[in-house]
Amino acid sequence: MPSTSKADKKAAVDAAAWMFNVVTSVGIIIVNKALMATYGFSFATTLTGLHFATTTLMTVVLRWLGYIQPSHLPYSELLKFIFFANFSIVGMNVSLMWNSVGFYQIAKLTMIPVSCLLEVVFDKIRYSRDTKLSILIVLLGVAVCTVTDVSVNAKGFAAAFIAVWSTALQQYYVHYLQRKYSLTSFNLLGHTAPAQAGSLLLLGPFLDYWLTSKRIDEFQFHFPSLVFLILSCTIAVGTNLSQFICIGRFTAVSFQVLGHMKTILVLILGFLFFGKEGLNIQVVVGMIIAVIGMVWYGNASSKPGGKERRSHSMPRNSQQKHGDSPESSEADEKV
């Protein structure tokens, strides 16, 4: 009975963490779309820097209140994380500018195979046949939904390649750092958010000018645009925190697979709030295929042998520190 109660509690917390991520991620997409499309605030990299500045403020307040305990993250590890994270943000923005929307979506879909490769190589994860097939079904469904025109050019391909690998490495590193240094999501954000905020706010205005030929200091702010800007930064705190929570509780691959549910929700909400243009049988079929794949993935990866380690990469002293046996640690990482 106690083990059943513990499993039920973990399932409830996992569901709450995932719902938190879905709500904040979908919310920030809708708010940012209004901010950029309606009010013309097209400075995406600078906006991301403001998001991390707001997140930094949150971590400072929580540390002052005692909710975040002192923790250690080596400077070399922090630099590697910031390198991957910032290349991810810049790479995605440049990829969207240099590629067609169709190829941009295809590039995003390749993050799951890349994340799988990282887990196989570094964490010695083994996937069952059903888990692999369910991932392919998810990719197929999302591709049917989102991929339309596809055109490729050399510099666009290079930007997409950098964006995909840096994003996959950044998400893998979130899980890796939390495990290796026993960091909570708040602890890790407390280390990384200030560095990301500072670097992106320094780099952002120049990169945004290169991408849009517009200067942020010439943008005419008015009350509605400021309201949406503040709302975007506020929601971003939840988005950043929930991403770290979800990747810490699951893995980067599970986060990517389930993350496509947000793609489906954004499409549905877009049709509801911005009109039904683009809604056709192809999109509906793609949504259904993707959802079937996600349900199958959740079921397949949770079964014995669906997704497991061939050997343990966690240091023994770290496991003993938390009083976890190898079996309980492995069970906690299953999705």
Side-chain angles (χ1 to χ4, degrees):
M1 289 296 292
S3 61
T4 303
S5 176
K6 183 179 179 180
D8 290 343
K9 182 179 178 181
K10 181 182 182 300
V13 174
D14 286 348
W18 181 246
M19 187 57 63
F20 181 32
N21 181 257
V22 169
V23 170
T24 55
S25 298
V26 174
I28 200 169
I29 288 171
I30 293 174
V31 170
N32 286 351
K33 182 174 181 179
L35 180 63
M36 294 181 178
T38 305
Y39 301 105
F41 191 87
S42 56
F43 311 100
T45 310
T46 305
L47 180 61
T48 306
L50 292 172
H51 289 168
F52 281 107
T54 311
T55 303
T56 299
L57 180 61
M58 184 262 311
T59 60
V60 169
V61 172
L62 290 177
R63 185 176 287 110
W64 178 67
L65 293 174
Y67 289 105
I68 299 181
Q69 302 303 318
S71 59
H72 172 68
L73 180 64
Y75 189 62
S76 59
E77 300 278 33
L78 177 61
L79 282 179
K80 282 188 281 188
F81 179 87
I82 298 304
F83 178 81
F84 295 142
N86 285 359
F87 260 91
S88 168
I89 294 165
V90 173
M92 283 296 177
N93 289 340
V94 175
S95 176
L96 185 58
M97 180 183 73
W98 285 350
N99 290 309
S100 66
V101 174
F103 185 74
Y104 174 78
Q105 291 293 347
I106 288 177
K108 286 178 67 177
L109 292 177
T110 63
M111 287 181 198
I112 292 182
V114 171
S115 295
C116 287
L117 178 62
L118 292 176
E119 288 190 357
V120 168
V121 172
F122 295 115
D123 289 344
K124 304 297 185 286
I125 295 292
R126 180 176 56 202
Y127 295 92
S128 69
R129 186 191 63 177
D130 282 359
T131 304
K132 295 173 185 175
L133 288 175
S134 66
I135 291 174
L136 289 177
I137 294 298
V138 172
L139 295 177
L140 174 64
V142 177
V144 171
C145 279
T146 59
V147 176
T148 52
D149 61 309
V150 179
S151 58
V152 186
N153 59 77
K155 65 179 184 179
F157 180 85
F161 182 86
I162 292 171
V164 167
W165 276 93
S166 57
T167 300
L169 284 165
Q170 183 258 344
Q171 293 184 355
Y172 172 82
Y173 228 55
V174 169
H175 190 71
Y176 168 81
L177 292 176
Q178 290 190 49
R179 288 190 355 257
K180 182 175 182 180
Y181 297 101
S182 302
L183 298 173
T184 67
S185 304
F186 288 104
N187 288 139
L188 188 56
L189 267 180
H191 289 291
T192 61
Q196 280 194 265
S199 57
L200 289 174
L201 288 176
L202 285 174
L203 174 68
F206 300 101
L207 180 64
D208 290 333
Y209 178 73
W210 176 54
L211 292 173
T212 65
S213 299
K214 297 178 182 178
R215 290 171 46 180
I216 191 169
D217 60 310
E218 295 178 349
F219 181 77
Q220 297 296 316
F221 287 97
H222 51 288
F223 183 73
S225 61
L226 281 174
V227 169
F228 273 90
L229 180 61
I230 293 171
L231 184 59
S232 175
C233 291
T234 303
I235 298 175
V237 174
T239 305
N240 291 332
L241 177 60
S242 64
Q243 182 192 35
F244 280 27
I245 291 174
C246 286
I247 296 178
R249 294 190 68 84
F250 312 128
T251 63
V253 172
S254 296
F255 182 75
Q256 282 285 344
V257 172
L258 296 175
H260 285 302
M261 178 61 75
K262 292 178 285 189
T263 303
I264 304 301
L265 287 175
V266 168
L267 286 172
I268 293 172
L269 290 174
F271 295 138
L272 289 176
F273 292 110
F274 302 106
K276 293 182 173 55
E277 182 181 353
L279 181 62
N280 52 49
I281 188 65
Q282 175 184 330
V283 173
V284 173
V285 169
M287 289 180 181
I288 294 172
I289 293 173
V291 171
I292 291 173
M294 290 170 202
V295 173
W296 188 10
Y297 175 82
N299 182 56
S301 62
S302 63
K303 289 181 178 178
K307 180 180 178 183
E308 61 185 11
R309 293 180 187 277
R310 290 194 294 267
S311 62
H312 299 289
S313 60
M314 285 287 291
R316 289 186 59 85
N317 61 351
S318 174
Q319 290 179 345
Q320 292 169 355
K321 180 180 177 181
H322 293 281
D324 292 335
S325 67
E327 289 79 13
S328 65
S329 174
E330 184 175 311
D332 284 346
E333 289 178 4
K334 286 185 178 181
V335 180

